[in-house]
Amino acid sequence: MIILFDLDGTLIDSTPAILESFHEAYKTMNTPCPDDEKIKSLIGLPLDIMFVKLGVDEDKKWEYVDAYKKHYRPISKAKTSLLPFAKEAIEQASKIATLGIVTTKTSKYSEELMEHFGVMKYFKCLIGRDDVDNPKPHPEPILKALKALNYNDHKVYMIGDTCLDCVSAKEANVNSIGVLSGYGSRESLLSCSDIVVENSLKAIKLINS
């Protein structure tokens, strides 16, 4: 069995670091920052797409991304935490499956975060935004993870907190479990996932039942 996890809203909460870095990016670019709730509604998308959806011109988006990352990198570990039950979910999942991470974060910094929390050792691969041409909801990140894990007709689950994760799973022809620990609403997750549970630990218990 293979179990793939999203990061933000599924295993970690980096909302304080994300919001602070968005504020800093807009400050650097001398433009007003959008409302926090609007930013949070887009978390899960790649940064460049988030900035465009927030109104940044296409030809300016990478300047905003660079300003964001410059601030995010030094604060990310201090202002990110594992979600409740996430470590237990990872530990239990590792006993029944091969584990991978599929995220729209940059892979290097995602690995550093998971090393910081002492859980990267449980994962056999991590696919980040920089590893693919087409991020979630495209199936490419999941398919790339499965290739790295030597997929061979195993049962596969993708656990995530938004429809980006679940649609990507559907397009890759794998099972999806939506969790309510992050940014997606119950209503939205019910529309796109195979099943919805409260958090990643409940997802693992369901898989193992």
Side-chain angles (χ1 to χ4, degrees), residues 70-133:
K70 185 177 180 181
H71 187 78
Y72 180 84
R73 287 165 185 161
I75 68 165
S76 59
K77 291 176 184 175
K79 298 201 172 186
T80 300
S81 58
L82 283 176
L83 285 166
F85 311 113
K87 188 170 185 179
E88 295 92 329
I90 295 166
E91 290 172 344
Q92 290 194 24
S94 70
K95 297 174 182 177
I96 61 171
T98 301
L99 308 186
I101 291 171
V102 178
T103 178
T104 50
K105 284 183 175 295
T106 304
S107 56
K108 177 184 176 183
Y109 301 108
S110 297
E111 287 186 21
E112 289 180 358
L113 271 177
M114 301 311 275
E115 291 283 3
H116 172 69
F117 293 124
V119 295
M120 190 62 214
K121 62 187 177 183
Y122 294 104
F123 296 96
K124 301 301 183 184
C125 80
L126 188 154
I127 303 299
R129 173 65 182 96
D130 48 325
D131 297 314
V132 296
D133 294 322

Side-chain angles (χ1 to χ4, degrees), residues 26-170:
Y26 280 92
K27 181 180 177 181
T28 300
M29 300 299 293
N30 293 311
T31 52
C33 186
D35 179 79
D36 284 352
E37 291 305 313
K38 191 170 184 180
I39 296 170
K40 285 165 66 176
S41 72
L42 298 172
I43 293 176
L45 290 167
L47 286 171
D48 57 309
I49 296 176
M50 288 181 73
F51 277 114
V52 170
K53 285 185 174 291
L54 291 169
V56 172
D57 291 339
E58 282 279 347
D59 61 349
K60 292 281 188 181
K61 64 184 181 182
W62 294 113
E63 293 180 57
Y64 281 81
V65 171
D66 288 344
Y68 173 100
K69 288 186 174 181
K70 185 177 180 181
H71 187 78
Y72 180 84
R73 287 165 185 161
I75 68 165
S76 59
K77 291 176 184 175
K79 298 201 172 186
T80 300
S81 58
L82 283 176
L83 285 166
F85 311 113
K87 188 170 185 179
E88 295 92 329
I90 295 166
E91 290 172 344
Q92 290 194 24
S94 70
K95 297 174 182 177
I96 61 171
T98 301
L99 308 186
I101 291 171
V102 178
T103 178
T104 50
K105 284 183 175 295
T106 304
S107 56
K108 177 184 176 183
Y109 301 108
S110 297
E111 287 186 21
E112 289 180 358
L113 271 177
M114 301 311 275
E115 291 283 3
H116 172 69
F117 293 124
V119 295
M120 190 62 214
K121 62 187 177 183
Y122 294 104
F123 296 96
K124 301 301 183 184
C125 80
L126 188 154
I127 303 299
R129 173 65 182 96
D130 48 325
D131 297 314
V132 296
D133 294 322
N134 304 290
K136 295 179 292 185
H138 195 280
E140 183 186 350
I142 290 178
L143 294 175
K144 189 159 188 176
L146 295 181
K147 184 176 181 181
L149 296 172
N150 297 313
Y151 170 74
N152 185 23
D153 294 328
H154 300 292
K155 183 172 282 190
V156 182
Y157 293 89
M158 175 71 206
I159 301 173
D161 68 304
T162 71
C163 282
L164 294 171
D165 306 301
C166 299
V167 171
S168 181
K170 183 177 181 180

